[in-house]
Amino acid sequence: MRWFQGILLSGEVRLLKPDPRIFRLFFSTHAIDPAHAVYIDDLKPNVDAATALGMHGILFTDPPTLRSELVNLDYWIRFRASITPPPGCPI
């Protein structure tokens, strides 16, 4: 979890994805600019909601495809030097 800037638990805020209010609450709580955020989920309605709010949405299907999507976004290259993957992480 150390890779994440913030965590928002839907049960605590009583909102569920794909309700746009949960995304907006996350943005405001953690000072996140949606244009600089990536949202990954295995449910298309959730990815569509995130994309509609300005995030880059990725529909998770499998780890190799996710890695490819992130490399295409240049996130892997930019953050590689600043993170240390946990032991056993395949990235």
Side-chain angles (χ1 to χ4, degrees):
M1 298 302 265
R2 66 181 178 204
W3 293 355
F4 299 98
Q5 240 178 304
I7 297 171
L8 184 76
L9 301 176
S10 59
E12 289 180 3
V13 298
R14 300 190 185 274
L15 293 168
L16 296 174
K17 299 171 289 186
D19 186 332
R21 294 177 298 170
I22 194 165
F23 294 100
R24 289 187 187 112
L25 180 60
F26 183 78
F27 301 151
S28 64
T29 300
H30 298 288
I32 302 292
D33 178 350
H36 298 129
V38 176
Y39 180 79
I40 303 164
D41 201 309
D42 61 344
L43 298 175
K44 188 169 181 354
N46 296 344
V47 174
D48 291 344
T51 301
L53 292 170
M55 298 175 78
H56 182 85
I58 297 175
L59 182 63
F60 178 83
T61 54
D62 58 73
T65 301
L66 174 60
R67 181 181 301 175
S68 175
E69 290 272 354
L70 292 173
V71 167
N72 288 338
L73 287 172
D74 198 30
Y75 280 94
W76 173 247
I77 294 168
R78 266 194 279 164
F79 292 119
R80 185 174 183 183
S82 66
I83 61 171
T84 304
C89 181
I91 304 178

